[in-house]
């Protein structure tokens, strides 16, 4: 099933079902299990998935693909590690874009197609030199199964997704971007795929309140600049898409 992906990843484990692939892989690494760089735990039946800010993420069995990948941080300087969710989103957008048109990254961790959410990204530190990057991709979810009007899936767009090609392309791009991040800047690559840039947005900040303006750029550390002001954490609303 995963023949293309196995040419990229040294270890792929598919669980018939689980609560959370991220939680399982983080626990495995913390218990001392030896998972290699680009090792993958995945399932088509994740029952207690979590998104950013600890939000619940669920889907009917078989309707989505939950993928958790181990990244080796040992060669990536600490000050560059904030880019990891962004390179994961960029990698997934690039791979999904081989089967869908109009795919891009919404800062900091969503993959959109035609302005609707196809995939979310969640990066969790497992150990001092390992991070687990989780992604939940809406693959075979029907239009009726989509949780909100702002979501999309391959199936709802009339595409019978090749999951092996999707995973293989994602892993190859993620590995390449992680290598470039270890050597230097990935800002140009991420900026090219980031559909938030140039849009009028509102950033809802964790402590309350918000900032509205034009998303003008990405800072050197991956923060989003809104009218020149860098934002490190916040829920971003694309106002043109929200109208």
């Amino acid at each position: 099933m995963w023949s293309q992906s196995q040419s990229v990843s040294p270890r792929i484990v598919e669980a018939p079902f689980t609560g959370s692939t991220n939680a399982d892989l983080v626990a495995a690494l913390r218990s001392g299990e030896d998972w290699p760089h680009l090792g993958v735990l995945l399932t088509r039946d994740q029952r207690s998935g979590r998104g950013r800010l600890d939000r619940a993420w669920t889907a009917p069995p078989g309707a989505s693909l939950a993928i958790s990948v181990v990244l080796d941080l040992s060669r990536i300087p600490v000050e560059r590690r904030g880019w990891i969710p962004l390179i994961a989103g960029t990698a997934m957008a690039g791979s999904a874009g081989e089967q869908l048109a109009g795919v891009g990254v919404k800062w900091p961790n969503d993959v959109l197609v035609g302005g609707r959410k196809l995939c979310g990204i969640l990066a969790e530190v497992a150990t001092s030199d390992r991070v687990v990057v989780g992604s939940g991709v809406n693959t075979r979810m029907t239009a009726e199964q989509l949780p909100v009007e702002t979501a999309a899936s391959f199936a709802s767009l009339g595409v019978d997704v090749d999951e092996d090609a999707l995973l293989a392309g994602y892993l190859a791009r993620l590995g390449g971007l992680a290598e470039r991040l270890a050597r230097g800047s990935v800002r140009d690559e991420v900026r090219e795929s980031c559909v938030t840039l140039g849009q009028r947005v509102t950033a809802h900040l964790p402590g309350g309140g918000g900032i509205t303006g034009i998303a003008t750029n990405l800072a050197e550390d991956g923060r989003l600049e809104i009218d020149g002001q860098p934002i490190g954490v916040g829920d971003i609303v694309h106002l043109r898409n929200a109208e």
Side-chain angles (χ1 to χ4, degrees), residues 1 32 44 79 89 91 115 122 135 142 145 147 173 181-182 189 231 238 243:
M1 169 62 202
R44 295 183 182 88
E79 63 271 17
L122 178 66
S135 55
T142 66
Q145 290 172 326
R173 288 172 172 83
L181 184 60
E189 292 93 332
I231 302 298
H238 291 182
E243 290 172 355

Side-chain angles (χ1 to χ4, degrees), residues 37-48:
H37 178 63
L38 296 183
V40 178
L41 177 64
L42 59 85
T43 187
R44 295 183 182 88
D45 186 1
Q46 179 169 258
R47 302 178 179 181
S48 302

Side-chain angles (χ1 to χ4, degrees), residues 171-182:
L171 293 172
R173 288 172 172 83
L174 182 58
L177 285 166
E179 178 62 28
R180 285 197 282 280
L181 184 60

Side-chain angles (χ1 to χ4, degrees), residues 24-202:
D24 291 350
L25 200 44
V26 167
L29 287 164
R30 289 178 179 172
S31 71
E33 283 191 29
D34 185 18
W35 277 80
H37 178 63
L38 296 183
V40 178
L41 177 64
L42 59 85
T43 187
R44 295 183 182 88
D45 186 1
Q46 179 169 258
R47 302 178 179 181
S48 302
R50 292 175 297 111
R52 204 164 147 269
L53 304 179
D54 211 33
R55 292 170 177 147
W57 185 86
T58 58
S64 65
L65 191 61
I67 305 164
S68 292
V69 182
V70 176
L71 288 184
D72 183 350
L73 298 177
S74 60
R75 295 180 54 242
I76 299 176
V78 172
E79 63 271 17
R80 297 182 198 154
R81 293 178 184 178
W83 286 97
I84 288 172
L86 287 161
I87 66 169
T90 299
M92 184 62 77
S95 186
E98 293 185 340
Q99 301 184 55
L100 289 171
V103 184
V105 178
K106 175 187 172 188
W107 188 93
N109 65 333
D110 287 340
V111 177
L112 307 184
V113 56
R116 295 189 291 163
K117 185 172 178 177
L118 179 72
C119 169
I121 304 288
L122 178 66
E124 297 184 83
V125 175
T127 66
S128 60
D129 63 353
R130 290 288 189 275
V131 67
V132 173
V133 180
S135 55
V137 190
N138 298 332
T139 49
R140 305 190 187 281
M141 197 176 292
T142 66
E144 293 74 23
Q145 290 172 326
L146 293 171
V148 291
E149 291 183 356
T150 53
S153 71
F154 283 86
S156 73
L157 297 170
V159 174
D160 184 11
V161 59
D162 183 334
E163 292 178 328
D164 188 21
L166 178 71
L167 179 60
Y170 170 57
L171 293 172
R173 288 172 172 83
L174 182 58
L177 285 166
E179 178 62 28
R180 285 197 282 280
L181 184 60
R183 298 197 307 263
S185 177
V186 293
R187 185 164 65 162
D188 288 346
E189 292 93 332
V190 173
R191 192 160 43 190
E192 186 174 340
S193 69
C194 185
V195 296
T196 299
L197 296 179
Q199 294 215 40
R200 184 170 176 80
V201 301
T202 291

